[in-house]
Structures are given as structure tokens and as C-alpha cells.
PDB file of all heavy atoms in Angstrom:
ATOM      1  N   ILE A   1    -254.334 -96.736  62.660  1.00  0.00           N
ATOM      2  CA  ILE A   1    -253.989 -98.161  62.609  1.00  0.00           C
ATOM      3  C   ILE A   1    -255.244 -99.026  62.653  1.00  0.00           C
ATOM      4  O   ILE A   1    -255.360-100.022  61.927  1.00  0.00           O
ATOM      5  CB  ILE A   1    -253.039 -98.525  63.767  1.00  0.00           C
ATOM      6  CG1 ILE A   1    -251.673 -97.853  63.576  1.00  0.00           C
ATOM      7  CG2 ILE A   1    -252.885-100.033  63.895  1.00  0.00           C
ATOM      8  CD1 ILE A   1    -250.903 -98.330  62.365  1.00  0.00           C
ATOM      9  N   ALA A   2    -256.216 -98.651  63.477  1.00  0.00           N
ATOM     10  CA  ALA A   2    -257.453 -99.427  63.575  1.00  0.00           C
ATOM     11  C   ALA A   2    -258.192 -99.451  62.240  1.00  0.00           C
ATOM     12  O   ALA A   2    -258.711-100.491  61.822  1.00  0.00           O
ATOM     13  CB  ALA A   2    -258.344 -98.853  64.671  1.00  0.00           C
ATOM     14  N   HIS A   3    -258.231 -98.307  61.562  1.00  0.00           N
ATOM     15  CA  HIS A   3    -258.892 -98.260  60.253  1.00  0.00           C
ATOM     16  C   HIS A   3    -258.147 -99.131  59.245  1.00  0.00           C
ATOM     17  O   HIS A   3    -258.773 -99.874  58.471  1.00  0.00           O
ATOM     18  CB  HIS A   3    -258.969 -96.823  59.747  1.00  0.00           C
ATOM     19  CG  HIS A   3    -259.606 -96.711  58.398  1.00  0.00           C
ATOM     20  ND1 HIS A   3    -260.972 -96.747  58.213  1.00  0.00           N
ATOM     21  CD2 HIS A   3    -259.065 -96.588  57.153  1.00  0.00           C
ATOM     22  CE1 HIS A   3    -261.241 -96.658  56.926  1.00  0.00           C
ATOM     23  NE2 HIS A   3    -260.102 -96.554  56.262  1.00  0.00           N
ATOM     24  N   LEU A   4    -256.827 -99.045  59.245  1.00  0.00           N
ATOM     25  CA  LEU A   4    -256.032 -99.878  58.342  1.00  0.00           C
ATOM     26  C   LEU A   4    -256.304-101.354  58.588  1.00  0.00           C
ATOM     27  O   LEU A   4    -256.493-102.131  57.632  1.00  0.00           O
ATOM     28  CB  LEU A   4    -254.548 -99.575  58.529  1.00  0.00           C
ATOM     29  CG  LEU A   4    -253.561-100.561  57.900  1.00  0.00           C
ATOM     30  CD1 LEU A   4    -253.793-100.714  56.408  1.00  0.00           C
ATOM     31  CD2 LEU A   4    -252.133-100.130  58.189  1.00  0.00           C
ATOM     32  N   GLU A   5    -256.338-101.766  59.826  1.00  0.00           N
ATOM     33  CA  GLU A   5    -256.561-103.180  60.132  1.00  0.00           C
ATOM     34  C   GLU A   5    -257.935-103.643  59.658  1.00  0.00           C
ATOM     35  O   GLU A   5    -258.078-104.759  59.149  1.00  0.00           O
ATOM     36  CB  GLU A   5    -256.374-103.414  61.626  1.00  0.00           C
ATOM     37  CG  GLU A   5    -254.920-103.286  62.069  1.00  0.00           C
ATOM     38  CD  GLU A   5    -254.734-103.459  63.556  1.00  0.00           C
ATOM     39  OE1 GLU A   5    -255.693-103.171  64.314  1.00  0.00           O
ATOM     40  OE2 GLU A   5    -253.643-103.871  63.965  1.00  0.00           O
ATOM     41  N   ARG A   6    -258.937-102.785  59.797  1.00  0.00           N
ATOM     42  CA  ARG A   6    -260.275-103.138  59.299  1.00  0.00           C
ATOM     43  C   ARG A   6    -260.275-103.298  57.783  1.00  0.00           C
ATOM     44  O   ARG A   6    -260.857-104.245  57.237  1.00  0.00           O
ATOM     45  CB  ARG A   6    -261.302-102.073  59.723  1.00  0.00           C
ATOM     46  CG  ARG A   6    -261.603-102.027  61.207  1.00  0.00           C
ATOM     47  CD  ARG A   6    -262.826-101.194  61.507  1.00  0.00           C
ATOM     48  NE  ARG A   6    -262.671 -99.787  61.118  1.00  0.00           N
ATOM     49  CZ  ARG A   6    -262.174 -98.830  61.900  1.00  0.00           C
ATOM     50  NH1 ARG A   6    -261.781 -99.126  63.133  1.00  0.00           N
ATOM     51  NH2 ARG A   6    -262.096 -97.583  61.485  1.00  0.00           N
ATOM     52  N   GLU A   7    -259.624-102.366  57.102  1.00  0.00           N
ATOM     53  CA  GLU A   7    -259.574-102.419  55.637  1.00  0.00           C
ATOM     54  C   GLU A   7    -258.777-103.635  55.143  1.00  0.00           C
ATOM     55  O   GLU A   7    -259.158-104.283  54.164  1.00  0.00           O
ATOM     56  CB  GLU A   7    -258.963-101.130  55.095  1.00  0.00           C
ATOM     57  CG  GLU A   7    -259.895 -99.940  55.124  1.00  0.00           C
ATOM     58  CD  GLU A   7    -261.089-100.134  54.208  1.00  0.00           C
ATOM     59  OE1 GLU A   7    -260.897-100.463  53.019  1.00  0.00           O
ATOM     60  OE2 GLU A   7    -262.238 -99.980  54.690  1.00  0.00           O
ATOM     61  N   ALA A   8    -257.655-103.906  55.813  1.00  0.00           N
ATOM     62  CA  ALA A   8    -256.843-105.056  55.419  1.00  0.00           C
ATOM     63  C   ALA A   8    -257.624-106.352  55.575  1.00  0.00           C
ATOM     64  O   ALA A   8    -257.562-107.241  54.708  1.00  0.00           O
ATOM     65  CB  ALA A   8    -255.558-105.095  56.248  1.00  0.00           C
ATOM     66  N   GLU A   9    -258.365-106.456  56.668  1.00  0.00           N
ATOM     67  CA  GLU A   9    -259.175-107.660  56.878  1.00  0.00           C
ATOM     68  C   GLU A   9    -260.259-107.778  55.816  1.00  0.00           C
ATOM     69  O   GLU A   9    -260.491-108.863  55.264  1.00  0.00           O
ATOM     70  CB  GLU A   9    -259.804-107.628  58.268  1.00  0.00           C
ATOM     71  CG  GLU A   9    -260.617-108.872  58.589  1.00  0.00           C
ATOM     72  CD  GLU A   9    -261.188-108.871  59.994  1.00  0.00           C
ATOM     73  OE1 GLU A   9    -261.027-107.851  60.711  1.00  0.00           O
ATOM     74  OE2 GLU A   9    -261.797-109.889  60.386  1.00  0.00           O
ATOM     75  N   ALA A  10    -260.898-106.648  55.489  1.00  0.00           N
ATOM     76  CA  ALA A  10    -261.960-106.673  54.486  1.00  0.00           C
ATOM     77  C   ALA A  10    -261.425-107.062  53.116  1.00  0.00           C
ATOM     78  O   ALA A  10    -262.114-107.734  52.335  1.00  0.00           O
ATOM     79  CB  ALA A  10    -262.642-105.303  54.416  1.00  0.00           C
ATOM     80  N   ARG A  11    -260.198-106.666  52.810  1.00  0.00           N
ATOM     81  CA  ARG A  11    -259.603-106.965  51.503  1.00  0.00           C
ATOM     82  C   ARG A  11    -258.772-108.261  51.519  1.00  0.00           C
ATOM     83  O   ARG A  11    -258.181-108.623  50.510  1.00  0.00           O
ATOM     84  CB  ARG A  11    -258.713-105.802  51.055  1.00  0.00           C
ATOM     85  CG  ARG A  11    -259.430-104.473  50.932  1.00  0.00           C
ATOM     86  CD  ARG A  11    -258.502-103.426  50.320  1.00  0.00           C
ATOM     87  NE  ARG A  11    -259.002-102.084  50.499  1.00  0.00           N
ATOM     88  CZ  ARG A  11    -258.455-100.989  49.952  1.00  0.00           C
ATOM     89  NH1 ARG A  11    -257.370-101.137  49.188  1.00  0.00           N
ATOM     90  NH2 ARG A  11    -258.954 -99.794  50.171  1.00  0.00           N
ATOM     91  N   ARG A  12    -258.719-108.900  52.682  1.00  0.00           N
ATOM     92  CA  ARG A  12    -257.964-110.139  52.854  1.00  0.00           C
ATOM     93  C   ARG A  12    -256.474-109.940  52.507  1.00  0.00           C
ATOM     94  O   ARG A  12    -255.869-110.748  51.794  1.00  0.00           O
ATOM     95  CB  ARG A  12    -258.574-111.266  52.022  1.00  0.00           C
ATOM     96  CG  ARG A  12    -260.002-111.607  52.447  1.00  0.00           C
ATOM     97  CD  ARG A  12    -260.568-112.766  51.674  1.00  0.00           C
ATOM     98  NE  ARG A  12    -261.920-113.094  52.122  1.00  0.00           N
ATOM     99  CZ  ARG A  12    -262.661-114.065  51.620  1.00  0.00           C
ATOM    100  NH1 ARG A  12    -262.178-114.838  50.639  1.00  0.00           N
ATOM    101  NH2 ARG A  12    -263.874-114.283  52.079  1.00  0.00           N
ATOM    102  N   LEU A  13    -255.936-108.849  53.047  1.00  0.00           N
ATOM    103  CA  LEU A  13    -254.524-108.535  52.856  1.00  0.00           C
ATOM    104  C   LEU A  13    -253.786-108.698  54.174  1.00  0.00           C
ATOM    105  O   LEU A  13    -254.278-108.299  55.233  1.00  0.00           O
ATOM    106  CB  LEU A  13    -254.362-107.091  52.360  1.00  0.00           C
ATOM    107  CG  LEU A  13    -254.946-106.777  50.981  1.00  0.00           C
ATOM    108  CD1 LEU A  13    -254.907-105.279  50.720  1.00  0.00           C
ATOM    109  CD2 LEU A  13    -254.183-107.524  49.891  1.00  0.00           C
ATOM    110  N   ALA A  14    -252.614-109.290  54.123  1.00  0.00           N
ATOM    111  CA  ALA A  14    -251.798-109.490  55.320  1.00  0.00           C
ATOM    112  C   ALA A  14    -250.882-108.285  55.504  1.00  0.00           C
ATOM    113  O   ALA A  14    -249.951-108.075  54.716  1.00  0.00           O
ATOM    114  CB  ALA A  14    -250.978-110.767  55.194  1.00  0.00           C
ATOM    115  N   ILE A  15    -251.162-107.486  56.535  1.00  0.00           N
ATOM    116  CA  ILE A  15    -250.349-106.314  56.847  1.00  0.00           C
ATOM    117  C   ILE A  15    -250.058-106.317  58.342  1.00  0.00           C
ATOM    118  O   ILE A  15    -250.978-106.427  59.161  1.00  0.00           O
ATOM    119  CB  ILE A  15    -251.068-105.008  56.458  1.00  0.00           C
ATOM    120  CG1 ILE A  15    -251.305-104.962  54.940  1.00  0.00           C
ATOM    121  CG2 ILE A  15    -250.263-103.783  56.908  1.00  0.00           C
ATOM    122  CD1 ILE A  15    -252.121-103.767  54.481  1.00  0.00           C
ATOM    123  N   ALA A  16    -248.786-106.212  58.692  1.00  0.00           N
ATOM    124  CA  ALA A  16    -248.392-106.136  60.099  1.00  0.00           C
ATOM    125  C   ALA A  16    -248.388-104.661  60.504  1.00  0.00           C
ATOM    126  O   ALA A  16    -247.447-103.930  60.191  1.00  0.00           O
ATOM    127  CB  ALA A  16    -247.017-106.752  60.297  1.00  0.00           C
ATOM    128  N   ALA A  17    -249.445-104.224  61.166  1.00  0.00           N
ATOM    129  CA  ALA A  17    -249.610-102.819  61.515  1.00  0.00           C
ATOM    130  C   ALA A  17    -249.480-102.622  63.017  1.00  0.00           C
ATOM    131  O   ALA A  17    -249.951-103.454  63.806  1.00  0.00           O
ATOM    132  CB  ALA A  17    -250.976-102.316  61.042  1.00  0.00           C
ATOM    133  N   GLN A  18    -248.852-101.511  63.413  1.00  0.00           N
ATOM    134  CA  GLN A  18    -248.670-101.225  64.832  1.00  0.00           C
ATOM    135  C   GLN A  18    -248.445 -99.735  65.059  1.00  0.00           C
ATOM    136  O   GLN A  18    -248.027 -99.017  64.153  1.00  0.00           O
ATOM    137  CB  GLN A  18    -247.478-102.010  65.390  1.00  0.00           C
ATOM    138  CG  GLN A  18    -246.137-101.633  64.788  1.00  0.00           C
ATOM    139  CD  GLN A  18    -245.029-102.564  65.201  1.00  0.00           C
ATOM    140  OE1 GLN A  18    -244.601-103.423  64.417  1.00  0.00           O
ATOM    141  NE2 GLN A  18    -244.546-102.414  66.417  1.00  0.00           N
ATOM    142  N   THR A  19    -248.747 -99.293  66.280  1.00  0.00           N
ATOM    143  CA  THR A  19    -248.430 -97.924  66.658  1.00  0.00           C
ATOM    144  C   THR A  19    -246.967 -97.852  67.084  1.00  0.00           C
ATOM    145  O   THR A  19    -246.393 -98.834  67.556  1.00  0.00           O
ATOM    146  CB  THR A  19    -249.328 -97.431  67.799  1.00  0.00           C
ATOM    147  OG1 THR A  19    -249.189 -98.314  68.923  1.00  0.00           O
ATOM    148  CG2 THR A  19    -250.787 -97.367  67.370  1.00  0.00           C
ATOM    149  N   GLY A  20    -246.379 -96.679  66.891  1.00  0.00           N
ATOM    150  CA  GLY A  20    -244.987 -96.500  67.278  1.00  0.00           C
ATOM    151  C   GLY A  20    -244.480 -95.136  66.858  1.00  0.00           C
ATOM    152  O   GLY A  20    -245.207 -94.350  66.246  1.00  0.00           O
ATOM    153  N   LEU A  21    -243.222 -94.861  67.178  1.00  0.00           N
ATOM    154  CA  LEU A  21    -242.601 -93.579  66.900  1.00  0.00           C
ATOM    155  C   LEU A  21    -241.612 -93.695  65.747  1.00  0.00           C
ATOM    156  O   LEU A  21    -240.837 -94.655  65.682  1.00  0.00           O
ATOM    157  CB  LEU A  21    -241.877 -93.055  68.137  1.00  0.00           C
ATOM    158  CG  LEU A  21    -242.730 -92.806  69.381  1.00  0.00           C
ATOM    159  CD1 LEU A  21    -241.836 -92.388  70.537  1.00  0.00           C
ATOM    160  CD2 LEU A  21    -243.784 -91.735  69.100  1.00  0.00           C
ATOM    161  N   MET A  22    -241.611 -92.688  64.884  1.00  0.00           N
ATOM    162  CA  MET A  22    -240.680 -92.705  63.754  1.00  0.00           C
ATOM    163  C   MET A  22    -239.238 -92.515  64.200  1.00  0.00           C
ATOM    164  O   MET A  22    -238.314 -92.856  63.467  1.00  0.00           O
ATOM    165  CB  MET A  22    -241.066 -91.618  62.746  1.00  0.00           C
ATOM    166  CG  MET A  22    -240.983 -90.194  63.245  1.00  0.00           C
ATOM    167  SD  MET A  22    -241.601 -89.039  61.981  1.00  0.00           S
ATOM    168  CE  MET A  22    -241.334 -87.462  62.824  1.00  0.00           C
ATOM    169  N   THR A  23    -239.033 -91.973  65.391  1.00  0.00           N
ATOM    170  CA  THR A  23    -237.683 -91.762  65.912  1.00  0.00           C
ATOM    171  C   THR A  23    -237.120 -92.978  66.630  1.00  0.00           C
ATOM    172  O   THR A  23    -235.971 -92.971  67.072  1.00  0.00           O
ATOM    173  CB  THR A  23    -237.679 -90.563  66.881  1.00  0.00           C
ATOM    174  OG1 THR A  23    -238.705 -90.772  67.869  1.00  0.00           O
ATOM    175  CG2 THR A  23    -237.933 -89.260  66.150  1.00  0.00           C
ATOM    176  N   ASP A  24    -237.912 -94.040  66.754  1.00  0.00           N
ATOM    177  CA  ASP A  24    -237.478 -95.242  67.464  1.00  0.00           C
ATOM    178  C   ASP A  24    -238.182 -96.445  66.837  1.00  0.00           C
ATOM    179  O   ASP A  24    -239.104 -97.012  67.420  1.00  0.00           O
ATOM    180  CB  ASP A  24    -237.813 -95.120  68.955  1.00  0.00           C
ATOM    181  CG  ASP A  24    -237.242 -96.257  69.783  1.00  0.00           C
ATOM    182  OD1 ASP A  24    -236.321 -96.951  69.292  1.00  0.00           O
ATOM    183  OD2 ASP A  24    -237.721 -96.467  70.914  1.00  0.00           O
ATOM    184  N   LEU A  25    -237.731 -96.835  65.665  1.00  0.00           N
ATOM    185  CA  LEU A  25    -238.420 -97.877  64.910  1.00  0.00           C
ATOM    186  C   LEU A  25    -238.198 -99.253  65.533  1.00  0.00           C
ATOM    187  O   LEU A  25    -237.061 -99.635  65.813  1.00  0.00           O
ATOM    188  CB  LEU A  25    -237.942 -97.879  63.457  1.00  0.00           C
ATOM    189  CG  LEU A  25    -238.190 -96.588  62.672  1.00  0.00           C
ATOM    190  CD1 LEU A  25    -237.667 -96.725  61.250  1.00  0.00           C
ATOM    191  CD2 LEU A  25    -239.672 -96.234  62.665  1.00  0.00           C
ATOM    192  N   PRO A  26    -239.266-100.019  65.728  1.00  0.00           N
ATOM    193  CA  PRO A  26    -239.174-101.323  66.398  1.00  0.00           C
ATOM    194  C   PRO A  26    -238.813-102.455  65.447  1.00  0.00           C
ATOM    195  O   PRO A  26    -239.478-103.498  65.416  1.00  0.00           O
ATOM    196  CB  PRO A  26    -240.583-101.501  66.973  1.00  0.00           C
ATOM    197  CG  PRO A  26    -241.463-100.835  65.963  1.00  0.00           C
ATOM    198  CD  PRO A  26    -240.670 -99.647  65.456  1.00  0.00           C
ATOM    199  N   PHE A  27    -237.763-102.251  64.655  1.00  0.00           N
ATOM    200  CA  PHE A  27    -237.349-103.245  63.678  1.00  0.00           C
ATOM    201  C   PHE A  27    -235.839-103.409  63.735  1.00  0.00           C
ATOM    202  O   PHE A  27    -235.107-102.478  64.065  1.00  0.00           O
ATOM    203  CB  PHE A  27    -237.766-102.830  62.260  1.00  0.00           C
ATOM    204  CG  PHE A  27    -239.217-102.502  62.116  1.00  0.00           C
ATOM    205  CD1 PHE A  27    -239.633-101.190  61.969  1.00  0.00           C
ATOM    206  CD2 PHE A  27    -240.173-103.505  62.132  1.00  0.00           C
ATOM    207  CE1 PHE A  27    -240.977-100.879  61.840  1.00  0.00           C
ATOM    208  CE2 PHE A  27    -241.521-103.209  62.013  1.00  0.00           C
ATOM    209  CZ  PHE A  27    -241.926-101.886  61.870  1.00  0.00           C
ATOM    210  N   GLN A  28    -235.379-104.601  63.376  1.00  0.00           N
ATOM    211  CA  GLN A  28    -233.948-104.870  63.340  1.00  0.00           C
ATOM    212  C   GLN A  28    -233.294-104.171  62.163  1.00  0.00           C
ATOM    213  O   GLN A  28    -233.954-103.775  61.198  1.00  0.00           O
ATOM    214  CB  GLN A  28    -233.701-106.380  63.274  1.00  0.00           C
ATOM    215  CG  GLN A  28    -234.149-107.136  64.512  1.00  0.00           C
ATOM    216  CD  GLN A  28    -233.831-108.613  64.427  1.00  0.00           C
ATOM    217  OE1 GLN A  28    -233.390-109.107  63.395  1.00  0.00           O
ATOM    218  NE2 GLN A  28    -234.042-109.321  65.518  1.00  0.00           N
ATOM    219  N   ALA A  29    -231.988-104.017  62.233  1.00  0.00           N
ATOM    220  CA  ALA A  29    -231.231-103.390  61.156  1.00  0.00           C
ATOM    221  C   ALA A  29    -231.352-104.204  59.868  1.00  0.00           C
ATOM    222  O   ALA A  29    -231.505-105.433  59.896  1.00  0.00           O
ATOM    223  CB  ALA A  29    -229.766-103.250  61.555  1.00  0.00           C
ATOM    224  N   SER A  30    -231.317-103.501  58.752  1.00  0.00           N
ATOM    225  CA  SER A  30    -231.320-104.125  57.422  1.00  0.00           C
ATOM    226  C   SER A  30    -232.513-105.061  57.217  1.00  0.00           C
ATOM    227  O   SER A  30    -232.365-106.175  56.706  1.00  0.00           O
ATOM    228  CB  SER A  30    -230.002-104.874  57.190  1.00  0.00           C
ATOM    229  OG  SER A  30    -228.903-103.996  57.282  1.00  0.00           O
ATOM    230  N   THR A  31    -233.685-104.583  57.589  1.00  0.00           N
ATOM    231  CA  THR A  31    -234.902-105.390  57.475  1.00  0.00           C
ATOM    232  C   THR A  31    -235.623-105.186  56.150  1.00  0.00           C
ATOM    233  O   THR A  31    -236.162-106.136  55.573  1.00  0.00           O
ATOM    234  CB  THR A  31    -235.875-105.061  58.624  1.00  0.00           C
ATOM    235  OG1 THR A  31    -235.283-105.436  59.868  1.00  0.00           O
ATOM    236  CG2 THR A  31    -237.205-105.778  58.468  1.00  0.00           C
ATOM    237  N   PHE A  32    -235.622-103.952  55.629  1.00  0.00           N
ATOM    238  CA  PHE A  32    -236.545-103.604  54.541  1.00  0.00           C
ATOM    239  C   PHE A  32    -235.828-103.312  53.225  1.00  0.00           C
ATOM    240  O   PHE A  32    -234.735-102.764  53.188  1.00  0.00           O
ATOM    241  CB  PHE A  32    -237.392-102.390  54.940  1.00  0.00           C
ATOM    242  CG  PHE A  32    -238.291-102.653  56.115  1.00  0.00           C
ATOM    243  CD1 PHE A  32    -237.988-102.126  57.363  1.00  0.00           C
ATOM    244  CD2 PHE A  32    -239.409-103.449  55.989  1.00  0.00           C
ATOM    245  CE1 PHE A  32    -238.802-102.371  58.456  1.00  0.00           C
ATOM    246  CE2 PHE A  32    -240.234-103.705  57.067  1.00  0.00           C
ATOM    247  CZ  PHE A  32    -239.929-103.170  58.309  1.00  0.00           C
ATOM    248  N   ASP A  33    -236.531-103.673  52.136  1.00  0.00           N
ATOM    249  CA  ASP A  33    -236.085-103.366  50.777  1.00  0.00           C
ATOM    250  C   ASP A  33    -236.663-102.046  50.272  1.00  0.00           C
ATOM    251  O   ASP A  33    -236.185-101.495  49.278  1.00  0.00           O
ATOM    252  CB  ASP A  33    -236.516-104.478  49.815  1.00  0.00           C
ATOM    253  CG  ASP A  33    -235.956-105.821  50.234  1.00  0.00           C
ATOM    254  OD1 ASP A  33    -234.756-106.049  50.046  1.00  0.00           O
ATOM    255  OD2 ASP A  33    -236.739-106.647  50.772  1.00  0.00           O
ATOM    256  N   TYR A  34    -237.682-101.558  50.956  1.00  0.00           N
ATOM    257  CA  TYR A  34    -238.347-100.317  50.546  1.00  0.00           C
ATOM    258  C   TYR A  34    -239.001 -99.705  51.778  1.00  0.00           C
ATOM    259  O   TYR A  34    -239.721-100.387  52.509  1.00  0.00           O
ATOM    260  CB  TYR A  34    -239.397-100.611  49.474  1.00  0.00           C
ATOM    261  CG  TYR A  34    -240.309 -99.462  49.100  1.00  0.00           C
ATOM    262  CD1 TYR A  34    -239.857 -98.407  48.303  1.00  0.00           C
ATOM    263  CD2 TYR A  34    -241.633 -99.436  49.519  1.00  0.00           C
ATOM    264  CE1 TYR A  34    -240.709 -97.361  47.940  1.00  0.00           C
ATOM    265  CE2 TYR A  34    -242.496 -98.407  49.164  1.00  0.00           C
ATOM    266  CZ  TYR A  34    -242.034 -97.373  48.384  1.00  0.00           C
ATOM    267  OH  TYR A  34    -242.875 -96.340  48.024  1.00  0.00           O
ATOM    268  N   VAL A  35    -238.738 -98.414  52.006  1.00  0.00           N
ATOM    269  CA  VAL A  35    -239.405 -97.667  53.068  1.00  0.00           C
ATOM    270  C   VAL A  35    -240.036 -96.428  52.454  1.00  0.00           C
ATOM    271  O   VAL A  35    -239.382 -95.672  51.724  1.00  0.00           O
ATOM    272  CB  VAL A  35    -238.441 -97.265  54.199  1.00  0.00           C
ATOM    273  CG1 VAL A  35    -239.133 -96.297  55.166  1.00  0.00           C
ATOM    274  CG2 VAL A  35    -237.964 -98.497  54.964  1.00  0.00           C
ATOM    275  N   LEU A  36    -241.309 -96.231  52.758  1.00  0.00           N
ATOM    276  CA  LEU A  36    -242.051 -95.050  52.335  1.00  0.00           C
ATOM    277  C   LEU A  36    -242.352 -94.194  53.552  1.00  0.00           C
ATOM    278  O   LEU A  36    -242.801 -94.703  54.586  1.00  0.00           O
ATOM    279  CB  LEU A  36    -243.360 -95.472  51.669  1.00  0.00           C
ATOM    280  CG  LEU A  36    -244.337 -94.330  51.351  1.00  0.00           C
ATOM    281  CD1 LEU A  36    -243.785 -93.440  50.231  1.00  0.00           C
ATOM    282  CD2 LEU A  36    -245.708 -94.887  50.980  1.00  0.00           C
ATOM    283  N   ALA A  37    -242.113 -92.887  53.432  1.00  0.00           N
ATOM    284  CA  ALA A  37    -242.491 -91.937  54.487  1.00  0.00           C
ATOM    285  C   ALA A  37    -243.130 -90.736  53.800  1.00  0.00           C
ATOM    286  O   ALA A  37    -242.458 -89.739  53.516  1.00  0.00           O
ATOM    287  CB  ALA A  37    -241.286 -91.529  55.314  1.00  0.00           C
ATOM    288  N   PHE A  38    -244.414 -90.839  53.509  1.00  0.00           N
ATOM    289  CA  PHE A  38    -245.117 -89.817  52.743  1.00  0.00           C
ATOM    290  C   PHE A  38    -245.789 -88.822  53.682  1.00  0.00           C
ATOM    291  O   PHE A  38    -246.657 -89.174  54.463  1.00  0.00           O
ATOM    292  CB  PHE A  38    -246.163 -90.472  51.828  1.00  0.00           C
ATOM    293  CG  PHE A  38    -246.597 -89.600  50.676  1.00  0.00           C
ATOM    294  CD1 PHE A  38    -245.964 -89.691  49.445  1.00  0.00           C
ATOM    295  CD2 PHE A  38    -247.613 -88.677  50.832  1.00  0.00           C
ATOM    296  CE1 PHE A  38    -246.350 -88.882  48.384  1.00  0.00           C
ATOM    297  CE2 PHE A  38    -248.007 -87.867  49.789  1.00  0.00           C
ATOM    298  CZ  PHE A  38    -247.383 -87.960  48.556  1.00  0.00           C
ATOM    299  N   ASN A  39    -245.353 -87.565  53.618  1.00  0.00           N
ATOM    300  CA  ASN A  39    -245.889 -86.486  54.468  1.00  0.00           C
ATOM    301  C   ASN A  39    -245.759 -86.821  55.956  1.00  0.00           C
ATOM    302  O   ASN A  39    -246.711 -86.667  56.724  1.00  0.00           O
ATOM    303  CB  ASN A  39    -247.355 -86.203  54.129  1.00  0.00           C
ATOM    304  CG  ASN A  39    -247.518 -85.566  52.769  1.00  0.00           C
ATOM    305  OD1 ASN A  39    -246.536 -85.316  52.072  1.00  0.00           O
ATOM    306  ND2 ASN A  39    -248.744 -85.295  52.376  1.00  0.00           N
ATOM    307  N   VAL A  40    -244.566 -87.245  56.364  1.00  0.00           N
ATOM    308  CA  VAL A  40    -244.388 -87.742  57.731  1.00  0.00           C
ATOM    309  C   VAL A  40    -243.220 -87.097  58.460  1.00  0.00           C
ATOM    310  O   VAL A  40    -243.402 -86.482  59.519  1.00  0.00           O
ATOM    311  CB  VAL A  40    -244.174 -89.282  57.723  1.00  0.00           C
ATOM    312  CG1 VAL A  40    -243.918 -89.800  59.129  1.00  0.00           C
ATOM    313  CG2 VAL A  40    -245.370 -89.975  57.112  1.00  0.00           C
TER     314      VAL A  40
END
């Protein structure tokens, strides 16, 4: 996450990044239009 935040800042991209568990996602129901889970 720290590396992602550094890269996002360098590229001036807005990304909400956080640590967490895939078995307990900290998001409300029906939030996303697309979810990617690559090698996870």
C-alpha cells in the first residue's frame, strides 16, 4: 500500500488505498461497478 500511495502521488492519480482483509471488506453493499482480484 505504501508503494502504491507513492506511485499514485507521483502520477497525480487519486486512489483510495488501505490495508484490510479480503474476507471482511470495509465497504457498503452494492458499492462497485467492477472488482478485480488478480492472484488473490
Side-chain angles (χ1 to χ4, degrees):
I1 292 295
H3 179 79
L4 167 57
E5 290 178 333
R6 291 193 298 271
E7 284 295 308
E9 182 177 5
R11 301 187 195 187
R12 297 183 179 180
L13 295 171
I15 297 175
Q18 64 189 104
T19 57
L21 299 176
M22 63 185 182
T23 53
D24 187 18
L25 299 180
F27 307 107
Q28 295 182 353
S30 301
T31 296
F32 296 106
D33 302 286
Y34 171 75
V35 171
L36 172 69
F38 200 93
N39 291 359
V40 177

